Amino acid sequence: MRADIGTSQMTDPKKPAPIYVTQPLLPPLEEFIPYLEQIWENKWLTNSGPFHAQFEQALCDYLNVKHLALFTNGTLALVTALQALRITGEVITTPYSFVATAHSLLWNGIKPVFVDIDPVTLNLDPARIEAAITPQTTAILPVHCYGHPCDVERIQKIADNYGLKVIYDAAHAFGVQGQDGSLPMHGDLSVLSFHATKVFNTFEGGAIVCPDAKTKRHVDHLKNFGFVDEVTVVAPGINGKMSEINAAFGLLQLKGIDAAIQKRKVIDARYREALAGVKGIHCLSGAGEKVANYAYFPILVQPEYPLSRDALYQLMQDHGIYARRYFYPLISDFPMYRGMPSAAHANLPVAKKMAEQVICLPIYPALSGEQVDFIAALIAS
Ligand SMILES: *Cc1c(COP(=O)(O)O)cnc(C)c1O
């Protein structure tokens, strides 16, 4: 999920400013200064400082979970989550995600086994999981794609039947509530990302949601080189700690997150209304979540639409609209994966079709109604 942050455009007074797929949520700068002053005052920069403790508690409260460990980013949190549960062998996952999902498996010497997605939710299709299980399978790594919940009940039932762990990549799902409450409480562990391009950001950051205090303690050791005290190292841990600056920033960001999601909701509704009658454009909707986060606005460009997906994508760029084809190419089409038997297109027909049709339209709190109308009108014309 990388936006084109930092791409500078030639400024042309006749041309409107470019619109990117996202723009990071930022609080007023002056509100951050007191936090910085406090850090300069107490000189505690990292290693479980006061802001780290406060932010963990505030996030638990906001997300309605009991235990959570902060990380420097979502990818290291994924890598560490797999270590924490000692996952080995083969893991069933989706090809339709950001590449970090499968990379976290390779970094652990685990073989990803790609399973096709559901055509409605674009999440891992539970009906196809069992056929991919082998004696080497130890876990399932699904993604709540676009913040739309996976079929958590069916996935858990399969995991229970076969004695598998479930680790959710919940990088898109900040603040989402499923039918039975907070989404990241599902699975053995859930991993969040607070990258600049996500609904909630700490510049870089991430977290592992843990089911109990013991697991959190273990994860906390792993993210700090395996230290449990000054002289005791119990595991080959990594440095995955979140710094005080990021934690302090996260505390401030939490104050604005509800208003930001509310603005996303309004934009989402405006797109849906404007695109409702456009032949060949299908707006993906949620997966029955009780509270959504409107993280992305994915549309499918279907054969009835007069232009191909890529032609529409190019037309939008010609008008200064930098939408993104999330998720194209599929993870399974990257060189380190495509030789694997499960990466064959014949095994992933739905994912392949969706990757060829999808465009994520710009959505972020500062996007104006006029900009939404401009983008929708271009698509409709
Ligand atoms: C962003 C993202 C990640 C990686 O998170 P970082 O914080 O950028 O390391 C992992 N999985 C998915 C699905 C993502 O979108």
Side-chain angles (χ1 to χ4, degrees):
M1 288 280 125
R2 296 295 177 267
D4 296 307
I5 293 168
T7 311
S8 66
Q9 300 287 308
M10 296 291 285
T11 40
D12 175 348
K14 291 189 298 294
K15 255 183 145 175
I19 303 172
Y20 297 109
V21 70
T22 191
Q23 190 182 90
L25 181 64
L26 284 171
L29 178 59
E30 64 273 16
E31 290 183 22
F32 193 43
I33 305 299
Y35 292 82
L36 292 176
E37 286 169 348
Q38 217 169 310
I39 294 171
W40 258 248
E41 179 72 25
N42 65 25
K43 300 182 176 50
W44 197 339
L45 307 190
T46 187
N47 290 13
S48 309
F51 281 127
H52 186 279
Q54 278 182 60
F55 184 39
E56 273 194 350
Q57 188 53 54
L59 269 180
C60 282
D61 295 344
Y62 183 82
L63 298 172
N64 197 22
V65 298
K66 285 223 175 67
H67 308 279
L68 164 161
L70 293 172
F71 272 78
T72 186
N73 62 58
T75 304
L76 268 176
L78 273 173
V79 168
T80 306
L82 293 160
Q83 286 274 326
L85 299 178
R86 296 192 168 82
I87 305 299
T88 57
E90 295 178 5
V91 169
I92 289 170
T93 191
T94 170
Y96 193 85
S97 178
F98 180 61
V99 72
T101 307
H103 276 2
S104 71
L105 296 170
L106 290 195
W107 270 73
N108 278 291
I110 297 164
K111 180 177 164 193
V113 174
F114 297 106
V115 162
D116 208 3
I117 57 173
D118 177 276
V120 176
T121 64
L122 278 52
N123 286 326
L124 201 55
D125 185 348
R128 295 173 184 275
I129 292 175
E130 283 192 75
I133 296 174
T134 75
Q136 282 70 50
T137 309
T138 56
I140 309 170
L141 176 58
V143 179
H144 300 298
C145 193
Y146 306 131
H148 301 154
C150 292
D151 190 338
V152 289
E153 270 176 37
R154 269 181 84 185
I155 290 172
Q156 194 57 54
K157 210 167 271 169
I158 296 165
D160 290 344
N161 280 346
Y162 290 86
L164 307 177
K165 301 285 189 193
V166 183
I167 297 169
Y168 280 105
D169 181 338
H172 299 176
F174 187 88
V176 174
Q177 297 204 16
Q179 282 311 320
D180 58 351
S182 186
L183 190 57
M185 73 180 185
H186 287 283
D188 293 279
L189 295 172
S190 273
V191 176
L192 301 169
S193 165
F194 312 140
H195 183 260
T197 56
K198 306 299 205 269
V199 167
F200 175 85
N201 88 79
T202 59
F203 281 49
E204 293 265 9
I208 301 181
V209 176
C210 306
D212 51 60
K214 184 165 171 262
T215 310
K216 170 175 159 54
R217 217 152 38 234
H218 181 43
V219 167
D220 280 343
H221 296 154
L222 285 177
K223 79 176 187 192
N224 188 31
F225 311 101
F227 276 110
V228 294
D229 62 40
E230 226 177 284
V231 292
T232 316
V233 173
V234 293
I238 192 92
N239 182 359
K241 303 184 302 289
M242 177 179 277
S243 85
E244 283 292 280
I245 288 235
N246 300 99
F249 188 76
L251 268 174
L252 178 57
Q253 285 283 65
L254 268 183
K255 296 184 184 179
I257 188 62
D258 283 340
I261 291 175
Q262 186 55 38
K263 283 183 187 156
R264 286 175 174 274
K265 181 178 182 173
V266 171
I267 293 165
D268 180 284
R270 195 160 178 145
Y271 268 133
R272 278 178 205 285
E273 201 187 327
L275 294 171
V278 183
K279 226 174 133 200
I281 296 294
H282 173 70
C283 302
L284 284 162
S285 38
E289 56 267 37
K290 224 161 58 184
V291 177
N293 69 0
Y294 310 96
Y296 301 92
F297 197 86
I299 60 168
L300 298 178
V301 184
Q302 297 173 326
E304 306 84 69
Y305 190 73
L307 298 180
S308 72
R309 187 273 306 269
D310 288 343
L312 175 59
Y313 171 75
Q314 189 55 52
L315 178 77
M316 291 172 75
Q317 280 199 5
D318 296 343
H319 288 77
I321 302 159
Y322 294 85
R324 294 295 296 264
R325 292 166 291 184
Y326 299 142
F327 288 99
Y328 166 86
L330 294 175
I331 297 176
S332 46
D333 282 338
F334 290 123
M336 59 298 292
Y337 301 103
R338 66 178 166 226
M340 299 176 174
S342 69
H345 287 165
N347 184 49
L348 308 167
V350 180
K352 174 114 179 65
K353 181 171 157 196
M354 296 303 156
E356 282 168 0
Q357 294 188 350
V358 74
I359 298 183
C360 284
L361 301 183
I363 186 166
Y364 49 87
L367 191 69
S368 71
E370 290 69 37
Q371 287 174 310
V372 172
D373 294 345
F374 172 66
I375 295 165
L378 183 67
I379 296 168
S381 71

Coordinates of all heavy atoms in Angstrom, one line a residue, residues 62-138:
Y62 N -9.5 2.0 22.7 CA -10.2 2.4 21.5 C -10.6 1.2 20.6 O -11.8 1.1 20.1 CB -9.3 3.3 20.6 CG -10.0 3.7 19.4 CD1 -10.8 4.8 19.4 CD2 -9.8 3.1 18.1 CE1 -11.5 5.3 18.3 CE2 -10.5 3.5 17.0 CZ -11.3 4.6 17.1 OH -12.0 5.0 16.0
L63 N -9.8 0.2 20.6 CA -10.1 -1.0 19.7 C -10.9 -2.1 20.5 O -11.3 -3.1 19.9 CB -8.8 -1.6 19.2 CG -7.9 -0.8 18.3 CD1 -6.6 -1.4 18.1 CD2 -8.6 -0.5 17.0
N64 N -11.1 -1.8 21.8 CA -11.8 -2.8 22.6 C -11.2 -4.2 22.6 O -11.8 -5.2 22.4 CB -13.3 -2.8 22.2 CG -14.1 -3.5 23.2 OD1 -13.8 -3.5 24.4 ND2 -15.3 -4.0 22.8
V65 N -9.8 -4.2 22.8 CA -9.1 -5.4 23.0 C -8.3 -5.3 24.3 O -8.1 -4.2 24.9 CB -8.1 -5.7 21.8 CG1 -8.9 -5.8 20.5 CG2 -7.1 -4.6 21.8
K66 N -7.9 -6.5 24.9 CA -7.3 -6.5 26.2 C -5.8 -6.3 26.2 O -5.2 -5.7 27.0 CB -7.7 -7.8 26.9 CG -9.1 -7.8 27.4 CD -9.2 -8.4 28.8 CE -10.6 -8.4 29.4 NZ -11.5 -9.3 28.6
H67 N -5.2 -6.9 25.1 CA -3.7 -6.9 25.1 C -3.2 -6.6 23.7 O -3.7 -7.2 22.8 CB -3.2 -8.3 25.6 CG -3.7 -8.7 26.9 ND1 -3.3 -8.3 28.1 CD2 -4.8 -9.6 27.1 CE1 -4.0 -8.8 29.1 NE2 -4.9 -9.6 28.5
L68 N -2.2 -5.7 23.7 CA -1.7 -5.3 22.4 C -0.2 -4.9 22.6 O 0.2 -4.3 23.6 CB -2.6 -4.2 21.9 CG -2.3 -3.3 20.8 CD1 -3.6 -2.6 20.4 CD2 -1.4 -2.2 21.2
A69 N 0.6 -5.3 21.6 CA 2.1 -4.9 21.7 C 2.4 -4.0 20.5 O 2.2 -4.4 19.3 CB 2.9 -6.2 21.7
L70 N 2.9 -2.8 20.8 CA 3.3 -1.9 19.7 C 4.5 -2.3 18.9 O 5.4 -2.9 19.6 CB 3.5 -0.5 20.3 CG 2.3 0.2 20.9 CD1 2.7 1.5 21.6 CD2 1.2 0.5 19.8
F71 N 4.6 -2.0 17.7 CA 5.8 -2.3 16.8 C 6.2 -1.1 16.0 O 5.4 -0.2 15.8 CB 5.4 -3.5 15.9 CG 5.7 -4.8 16.6 CD1 4.8 -5.4 17.5 CD2 6.9 -5.5 16.3 CE1 5.1 -6.6 18.1 CE2 7.2 -6.7 16.9 CZ 6.3 -7.3 17.8
T72 N 7.4 -1.3 15.5 CA 7.9 -0.2 14.6 C 7.3 -0.1 13.3 O 7.2 0.9 12.7 CB 9.5 -0.4 14.5 OG1 10.0 0.7 13.8 CG2 9.8 -1.7 13.8
N73 N 6.7 -1.2 12.8 CA 5.9 -1.2 11.6 C 5.1 -2.5 11.5 O 5.3 -3.5 12.3 CB 6.7 -1.0 10.3 CG 7.8 -2.1 10.1 OD1 7.4 -3.3 10.0 ND2 9.0 -1.7 10.1
G74 N 4.2 -2.6 10.6 CA 3.3 -3.8 10.5 C 4.0 -5.0 10.0 O 3.7 -6.1 10.4
T75 N 5.0 -4.8 9.1 CA 5.7 -6.0 8.6 C 6.5 -6.7 9.6 O 6.5 -7.9 9.7 CB 6.7 -5.5 7.4 OG1 5.9 -4.8 6.5 CG2 7.3 -6.7 6.7
L76 N 7.3 -6.0 10.5 CA 8.0 -6.6 11.6 C 7.0 -7.3 12.5 O 7.4 -8.3 13.2 CB 8.9 -5.6 12.3 CG 10.3 -5.5 11.7 CD1 11.1 -4.4 12.5 CD2 11.1 -6.8 11.9
A77 N 5.9 -6.7 12.7 CA 4.9 -7.3 13.6 C 4.4 -8.6 13.0 O 4.3 -9.6 13.8 CB 3.7 -6.3 13.8
L78 N 4.2 -8.7 11.7 CA 3.8 -9.9 11.0 C 4.9 -11.0 11.2 O 4.6 -12.1 11.6 CB 3.6 -9.7 9.5 CG 2.2 -9.3 9.1 CD1 2.3 -9.0 7.6 CD2 1.1 -10.3 9.3
V79 N 6.2 -10.6 10.9 CA 7.3 -11.5 11.1 C 7.4 -12.0 12.5 O 7.6 -13.2 12.7 CB 8.6 -10.8 10.6 CG1 9.8 -11.6 11.0 CG2 8.6 -10.5 9.1
T80 N 7.2 -11.2 13.5 CA 7.3 -11.5 14.9 C 6.1 -12.4 15.3 O 6.3 -13.3 16.1 CB 7.4 -10.3 15.7 OG1 8.5 -9.5 15.2 CG2 7.7 -10.6 17.2
A81 N 4.9 -12.1 14.8 CA 3.7 -12.9 15.1 C 4.0 -14.4 14.8 O 3.6 -15.3 15.5 CB 2.5 -12.3 14.5
L82 N 4.5 -14.6 13.6 CA 4.8 -15.9 13.1 C 5.9 -16.6 14.0 O 5.8 -17.8 14.3 CB 5.3 -15.9 11.6 CG 4.2 -15.5 10.6 CD1 4.8 -15.0 9.3 CD2 3.2 -16.6 10.4
Q83 N 6.9 -15.8 14.4 CA 7.9 -16.3 15.4 C 7.2 -16.7 16.7 O 7.6 -17.7 17.3 CB 8.9 -15.3 15.6 CG 9.9 -15.1 14.5 CD 11.1 -16.0 14.5 OE1 11.5 -16.4 15.6 NE2 11.5 -16.5 13.4
A84 N 6.4 -15.8 17.2 CA 5.8 -16.0 18.5 C 5.0 -17.3 18.6 O 5.0 -18.0 19.7 CB 4.9 -14.8 18.9
L85 N 4.4 -17.7 17.5 CA 3.6 -18.9 17.5 C 4.4 -20.1 17.0 O 3.8 -21.2 16.8 CB 2.3 -18.7 16.7 CG 1.3 -17.7 17.2 CD1 0.1 -17.5 16.3 CD2 0.9 -18.0 18.6
R86 N 5.7 -19.9 16.7 CA 6.6 -20.9 16.2 C 6.0 -21.6 14.9 O 6.0 -22.8 14.8 CB 6.9 -21.9 17.3 CG 7.6 -21.3 18.5 CD 8.1 -22.4 19.4 NE 9.0 -21.9 20.4 CZ 8.6 -21.3 21.5 NH1 7.3 -21.2 21.8 NH2 9.5 -20.8 22.3
I87 N 5.5 -20.8 14.0 CA 4.9 -21.3 12.8 C 6.1 -21.8 11.9 O 7.1 -21.1 11.7 CB 4.1 -20.2 12.1 CG1 3.0 -19.7 13.0 CG2 3.5 -20.8 10.8 CD1 2.0 -20.7 13.5
T88 N 5.9 -23.0 11.3 CA 6.9 -23.5 10.4 C 6.2 -24.2 9.2 O 4.9 -24.2 9.2 CB 7.7 -24.6 11.1 OG1 6.8 -25.6 11.5 CG2 8.6 -24.1 12.2
G89 N 6.9 -24.8 8.3 CA 6.3 -25.6 7.2 C 5.6 -24.8 6.2 O 6.2 -23.9 5.6
E90 N 4.3 -25.0 6.0 CA 3.4 -24.3 5.1 C 2.3 -23.5 5.7 O 1.8 -24.0 6.7 CB 2.8 -25.4 4.1 CG 3.7 -26.2 3.3 CD 3.0 -27.2 2.4 OE1 1.8 -27.2 2.4 OE2 3.7 -28.0 1.7
V91 N 2.1 -22.4 5.2 CA 1.0 -21.5 5.7 C 0.1 -21.1 4.5 O 0.5 -20.7 3.4 CB 1.5 -20.3 6.4 CG1 0.4 -19.3 6.7 CG2 2.2 -20.7 7.7
I92 N -1.2 -21.3 4.7 CA -2.2 -20.9 3.7 C -2.5 -19.4 3.7 O -2.8 -18.9 4.8 CB -3.5 -21.8 3.9 CG1 -3.2 -23.2 3.5 CG2 -4.7 -21.2 3.1 CD1 -4.2 -24.2 3.9
T93 N -2.4 -18.8 2.6 CA -2.6 -17.3 2.6 C -3.2 -16.9 1.3 O -3.5 -17.7 0.4 CB -1.3 -16.6 2.9 OG1 -1.6 -15.2 3.1 CG2 -0.3 -16.7 1.7
T94 N -3.5 -15.6 1.2 CA -4.2 -15.0 0.0 C -3.1 -14.4 -1.0 O -2.2 -13.7 -0.5 CB -5.2 -14.0 0.4 OG1 -5.7 -13.3 -0.8 CG2 -4.6 -12.9 1.3
P95 N -3.3 -14.5 -2.3 CA -2.5 -13.9 -3.2 C -2.9 -12.4 -3.4 O -2.1 -11.6 -4.0 CB -2.7 -14.6 -4.5 CG -4.2 -15.1 -4.4 CD -4.4 -15.3 -2.9
Y96 N -4.0 -12.0 -2.9 CA -4.6 -10.7 -3.2 C -4.5 -9.8 -2.0 O -5.3 -9.7 -1.1 CB -6.1 -10.9 -3.5 CG -6.8 -9.7 -4.1 CD1 -6.7 -9.4 -5.5 CD2 -7.4 -8.8 -3.3 CE1 -7.3 -8.3 -6.0 CE2 -8.0 -7.6 -3.9 CZ -8.0 -7.4 -5.2 OH -8.5 -6.3 -5.8
S97 N -3.2 -9.3 -1.9 CA -2.9 -8.4 -0.7 C -1.6 -7.7 -1.1 O -1.1 -7.8 -2.1 CB -2.6 -9.3 0.5 OG -2.2 -8.6 1.6
F98 N -1.2 -6.8 -0.1 CA 0.1 -6.2 -0.2 C 1.2 -7.2 0.0 O 1.0 -8.1 0.8 CB 0.2 -5.0 0.8 CG 1.5 -4.3 0.7 CD1 1.8 -3.6 -0.4 CD2 2.3 -4.2 1.8 CE1 3.0 -2.9 -0.5 CE2 3.5 -3.5 1.8 CZ 3.9 -2.9 0.7
V99 N 2.3 -7.1 -0.7 CA 3.3 -8.1 -0.8 C 3.9 -8.5 0.6 O 4.4 -9.6 0.8 CB 4.4 -7.7 -1.8 CG1 5.3 -6.5 -1.2 CG2 5.2 -8.9 -2.2
A100 N 3.8 -7.6 1.6 CA 4.3 -7.9 2.9 C 3.7 -9.1 3.6 O 4.3 -9.8 4.4 CB 4.2 -6.6 3.8
T101 N 2.5 -9.4 3.2 CA 1.8 -10.5 3.8 C 2.6 -11.8 3.6 O 2.9 -12.5 4.5 CB 0.3 -10.7 3.2 OG1 -0.3 -9.4 3.4 CG2 -0.4 -11.8 3.9
A102 N 2.9 -12.1 2.3 CA 3.6 -13.3 2.0 C 5.1 -13.2 2.3 O 5.7 -14.2 2.7 CB 3.4 -13.7 0.5
H103 N 5.7 -12.0 2.2 CA 7.1 -11.8 2.5 C 7.3 -12.2 3.9 O 8.4 -12.7 4.3 CB 7.5 -10.3 2.3 CG 7.8 -10.0 0.9 ND1 7.8 -10.9 -0.2 CD2 8.3 -8.8 0.3 CE1 8.2 -10.3 -1.3 NE2 8.5 -9.0 -1.0
S104 N 6.4 -11.9 4.8 CA 6.6 -12.2 6.3 C 6.8 -13.8 6.4 O 7.5 -14.2 7.3 CB 5.5 -11.7 7.1 OG 4.3 -12.5 6.9
L105 N 6.2 -14.5 5.5 CA 6.4 -16.0 5.6 C 7.8 -16.4 5.1 O 8.5 -17.1 5.8 CB 5.3 -16.7 4.7 CG 3.9 -16.5 5.2 CD1 2.9 -17.0 4.2 CD2 3.6 -17.2 6.5
L106 N 8.2 -15.8 4.0 CA 9.5 -16.1 3.4 C 10.6 -15.7 4.4 O 11.6 -16.4 4.6 CB 9.8 -15.4 2.1 CG 9.0 -15.8 0.9 CD1 9.6 -15.3 -0.4 CD2 8.9 -17.4 0.8
W107 N 10.4 -14.6 5.2 CA 11.4 -14.2 6.1 C 11.5 -15.2 7.3 O 12.5 -15.1 8.1 CB 11.1 -12.8 6.7 CG 11.8 -11.7 5.9 CD1 11.4 -11.3 4.6 CD2 12.9 -10.9 6.2 NE1 12.3 -10.4 4.1 CE2 13.2 -10.1 5.1 CE3 13.7 -10.9 7.3 CZ2 14.2 -9.2 5.1 CZ3 14.8 -9.9 7.3 CH2 15.0 -9.1 6.2
N108 N 10.5 -16.0 7.5 CA 10.5 -17.0 8.5 C 10.9 -18.4 7.9 O 10.7 -19.4 8.6 CB 9.2 -17.1 9.2 CG 9.1 -16.0 10.3 OD1 9.8 -16.1 11.3 ND2 8.3 -15.0 10.1
G109 N 11.2 -18.5 6.7 CA 11.5 -19.8 6.1 C 10.3 -20.6 5.9 O 10.4 -21.9 5.8
I110 N 9.1 -20.0 5.8 CA 7.9 -20.7 5.7 C 7.4 -20.7 4.2 O 7.6 -19.7 3.5 CB 6.8 -20.1 6.6 CG1 7.2 -20.2 8.0 CG2 5.4 -20.7 6.3 CD1 6.4 -19.2 8.9
K111 N 6.8 -21.8 3.7 CA 6.3 -21.8 2.4 C 4.9 -21.3 2.3 O 4.0 -21.9 2.9 CB 6.4 -23.2 1.8 CG 5.9 -23.4 0.4 CD 6.1 -24.9 0.0 CE 5.3 -25.2 -1.3 NZ 5.2 -26.6 -1.5
P112 N 4.7 -20.2 1.6 CA 3.3 -19.8 1.4 C 2.5 -20.7 0.4 O 3.1 -21.1 -0.6 CB 3.4 -18.4 0.8 CG 4.8 -18.2 0.5 CD 5.6 -19.4 0.8
V113 N 1.3 -21.0 0.8 CA 0.4 -21.8 -0.1 C -0.8 -20.9 -0.5 O -1.6 -20.5 0.4 CB 0.0 -23.1 0.5 CG1 -1.0 -23.8 -0.4 CG2 1.2 -24.0 0.7
F114 N -0.9 -20.4 -1.7 CA -1.9 -19.5 -2.1 C -3.2 -20.2 -2.4 O -3.3 -21.2 -3.1 CB -1.5 -18.7 -3.3 CG -0.2 -17.8 -3.1 CD1 1.0 -18.2 -3.6 CD2 -0.3 -16.7 -2.3 CE1 2.1 -17.5 -3.4 CE2 0.8 -15.9 -2.1 CZ 2.1 -16.3 -2.6
V115 N -4.3 -19.6 -1.8 CA -5.6 -20.1 -2.0 C -6.5 -19.0 -2.6 O -6.3 -17.8 -2.2 CB -6.2 -20.6 -0.7 CG1 -7.7 -20.8 -0.7 CG2 -5.5 -22.0 -0.3
D116 N -7.4 -19.3 -3.5 CA -8.2 -18.3 -4.2 C -9.1 -17.5 -3.2 O -9.4 -17.9 -2.1 CB -9.0 -18.9 -5.3 CG -9.2 -17.9 -6.5 OD1 -8.7 -16.7 -6.4 OD2 -9.9 -18.3 -7.4
I117 N -9.6 -16.4 -3.7 CA -10.4 -15.5 -2.9 C -11.9 -15.6 -3.3 O -12.3 -16.1 -4.3 CB -9.9 -14.0 -3.1 CG1 -10.0 -13.6 -4.5 CG2 -8.5 -13.9 -2.5 CD1 -9.7 -12.1 -4.7
D118 N -12.7 -15.1 -2.4 CA -14.1 -15.0 -2.6 C -14.5 -13.8 -3.5 O -13.9 -12.7 -3.3 CB -14.8 -14.8 -1.2 CG -16.3 -14.7 -1.3 OD1 -16.8 -13.5 -1.6 OD2 -17.0 -15.7 -1.1
P119 N -15.3 -14.1 -4.5 CA -15.6 -13.0 -5.5 C -16.4 -11.8 -4.9 O -16.4 -10.7 -5.6 CB -16.4 -13.7 -6.6 CG -17.0 -14.9 -6.0 CD -16.0 -15.3 -4.9
V120 N -17.0 -11.9 -3.8 CA -17.8 -10.8 -3.2 C -16.9 -10.0 -2.3 O -16.8 -8.8 -2.4 CB -19.0 -11.3 -2.5 CG1 -19.8 -10.2 -1.9 CG2 -19.9 -12.0 -3.5
T121 N -16.2 -10.7 -1.4 CA -15.4 -9.9 -0.3 C -14.0 -9.7 -0.8 O -13.3 -8.9 -0.2 CB -15.4 -10.7 1.0 OG1 -14.7 -11.9 0.8 CG2 -16.8 -10.9 1.5
L122 N -13.5 -10.5 -1.7 CA -12.1 -10.5 -2.1 C -11.2 -11.0 -1.0 O -10.0 -10.8 -1.1 CB -11.7 -9.2 -2.7 CG -12.1 -8.9 -4.2 CD1 -13.5 -9.2 -4.5 CD2 -11.6 -7.6 -4.7
N123 N -11.7 -11.6 0.0 CA -10.9 -12.2 1.1 C -10.8 -13.7 0.8 O -11.5 -14.3 0.0 CB -11.7 -12.1 2.4 CG -11.6 -10.6 2.9 OD1 -10.6 -9.9 2.7 ND2 -12.6 -10.2 3.6
L124 N -9.8 -14.3 1.4 CA -9.5 -15.8 1.3 C -10.9 -16.5 1.4 O -11.7 -16.3 2.3 CB -8.7 -16.2 2.5 CG -7.8 -17.5 2.5 CD1 -6.9 -17.5 1.3 CD2 -7.0 -17.6 3.8
D125 N -11.1 -17.4 0.4 CA -12.3 -18.2 0.3 C -12.3 -19.4 1.2 O -11.5 -20.3 0.9 CB -12.5 -18.6 -1.2 CG -13.9 -19.3 -1.4 OD1 -14.5 -19.6 -0.4 OD2 -14.2 -19.5 -2.6
P126 N -13.1 -19.4 2.3 CA -13.0 -20.5 3.2 C -13.3 -21.9 2.6 O -12.8 -22.9 3.0 CB -14.1 -20.2 4.3 CG -14.4 -18.8 4.1 CD -14.1 -18.4 2.6
A127 N -14.1 -21.9 1.5 CA -14.5 -23.1 0.9 C -13.3 -23.8 0.2 O -13.4 -25.0 -0.2 CB -15.6 -22.9 -0.1
R128 N -12.2 -23.0 -0.1 CA -11.1 -23.5 -0.8 C -9.9 -23.9 0.1 O -8.9 -24.3 -0.4 CB -10.6 -22.6 -1.9 CG -11.7 -22.4 -3.0 CD -11.3 -21.3 -3.9 NE -12.4 -21.1 -4.9 CZ -12.5 -21.8 -6.0 NH1 -11.6 -22.7 -6.3 NH2 -13.5 -21.5 -6.8
I129 N -10.0 -23.6 1.4 CA -8.9 -23.7 2.3 C -8.6 -25.2 2.5 O -7.4 -25.6 2.4 CB -9.1 -23.0 3.7 CG1 -9.2 -21.5 3.4 CG2 -8.1 -23.4 4.7 CD1 -9.5 -20.7 4.7
E130 N -9.6 -26.0 2.8 CA -9.3 -27.4 3.2 C -8.6 -28.2 2.1 O -7.7 -29.0 2.5 CB -10.7 -28.1 3.5 CG -11.2 -27.7 4.9 CD -12.3 -28.6 5.3 OE1 -12.1 -29.8 5.7 OE2 -13.5 -28.1 5.2
A131 N -8.9 -28.0 0.9 CA -8.2 -28.7 -0.2 C -6.7 -28.4 -0.3 O -5.9 -29.1 -0.8 CB -8.9 -28.3 -1.5
A132 N -6.3 -27.3 0.3 CA -4.9 -26.9 0.3 C -4.1 -27.3 1.5 O -2.9 -27.1 1.6 CB -4.8 -25.3 0.1
I133 N -4.8 -27.9 2.5 CA -4.1 -28.3 3.7 C -3.3 -29.6 3.4 O -3.8 -30.6 2.8 CB -5.1 -28.6 4.9 CG1 -5.8 -27.2 5.2 CG2 -4.4 -29.2 6.1 CD1 -6.9 -27.3 6.2
T134 N -2.0 -29.7 3.9 CA -1.2 -30.9 3.8 C -0.7 -31.2 5.2 O -0.9 -30.4 6.1 CB 0.0 -30.6 2.8 OG1 1.0 -29.8 3.5 CG2 -0.4 -29.9 1.5
P135 N 0.1 -32.3 5.3 CA 0.7 -32.6 6.7 C 1.6 -31.5 7.1 O 1.9 -31.4 8.3 CB 1.4 -33.9 6.4 CG 0.7 -34.5 5.3 CD 0.3 -33.4 4.4
Q136 N 2.1 -30.7 6.2 CA 3.1 -29.6 6.6 C 2.4 -28.3 7.0 O 3.0 -27.4 7.5 CB 4.0 -29.3 5.4 CG 5.2 -30.3 5.1 CD 4.6 -31.6 4.6 OE1 3.9 -31.7 3.7 NE2 5.0 -32.7 5.3
T137 N 1.1 -28.2 6.7 CA 0.4 -27.0 7.0 C 0.3 -26.7 8.6 O -0.1 -27.7 9.3 CB -1.0 -27.0 6.5 OG1 -1.0 -27.4 5.1 CG2 -1.7 -25.6 6.6
T138 N 0.7 -25.5 9.0 CA 0.6 -25.2 10.4 C -0.3 -24.0 10.8 O -0.7 -23.9 11.9 CB 2.0 -24.9 11.0 OG1 2.6 -23.8 10.2 CG2 3.0 -26.1 10.9

